[in-house]
Amino acid sequence: ECSPPHSRKKPFSAKNTMGADNDDMKKAEVSAAARREKEQSKYRETCDGYIKSGLTGNVTVQFLINRLVSMGCEPPKGFISCMDCGAAKAGGGFGVVEEMVLPPSSPNKGYNPNETGGAYAEQAKIRAEKRQCDRTLEDLQAQIDAQKEGKARLRLLPEIFLCQQHLRNETHAHQSMVHELIHAVDHCR
């Protein structure tokens, strides 16, 4: 019989201490993380298969790839990849913003490659650790502001990613690839 959580008290014992509950919680967290990793691995394997079938068997995907090549923008190996996009509800995305922190300059010292960008460099490091699909408009605005202030240099790296856990089927994956490849062709112009 299922009863509300507050009524399911365990009898007190030496084993039922706060430490034991914490151990149980840690084990549950590790178990949940292992399940998520296994699930994502399965999604990635399926997604990788969708990419391969799109590149070898979808005429629209092949046409767009050939168009990129004919325009002088040959995609590198791994140009289309799968990633865990978390809760972001998207089939995929195009473009990754690379942020290069510039060393602080001082008219008296000149360029010193051993200097870091201070607090801004720490913020940039935190942003760099986020998955692309978890980055916010505020993150992008901070990057743009930093470039205007001379703290960073930004560049768009053309890359296509598919959100592996949100792909419904092979057709959806191929449609997402086509959509993102159109962005790549536009970017190449």
Side-chain angles (χ1 to χ4, degrees), residues 5 10 23 40 43 54 62 64 97 99 105 110 128 152 166 169 181 185:
K10 297 178 186 174
D23 288 346
Q40 288 304 317
Y43 286 139
Q62 291 172 340
L64 291 167
V97 175
E99 180 176 15
S105 60
H166 300 304
N169 53 39
L181 281 164
V185 168

Side-chain angles (χ1 to χ4, degrees), residues 83-170:
M83 68 183 291
D84 174 0
C85 294
K89 295 291 182 192
F94 172 77
V96 176
V97 175
E98 180 183 61
E99 180 176 15
M100 293 171 282
V101 177
L102 300 175
S105 60
S106 166
N108 299 332
K109 295 192 300 183
Y111 174 73
N112 180 349
N114 297 320
E115 287 183 357
T116 64
Y120 177 75
E122 287 303 313
Q123 294 167 355
K125 183 178 177 186
I126 291 167
R127 270 194 301 278
E129 291 171 355
K130 283 185 180 180
R131 296 177 304 197
Q132 284 291 322
C133 53
D134 286 341
R135 294 188 184 177
T136 65
L137 189 55
E138 290 80 17
D139 290 331
L140 182 58
Q141 189 60 55
Q143 291 174 315
I144 292 168
D145 292 345
Q147 181 166 286
K148 287 179 183 175
E149 296 166 11
K151 295 178 182 176
R153 187 175 334 134
L154 304 178
R155 70 179 186 153
L156 179 66
L157 301 177
E159 178 180 301
I160 292 173
F161 61 89
L162 299 181
C163 294
Q164 61 197 25
Q165 71 269 42
H166 300 304
L167 297 173
R168 295 184 299 268
N169 53 39
E170 185 175 49

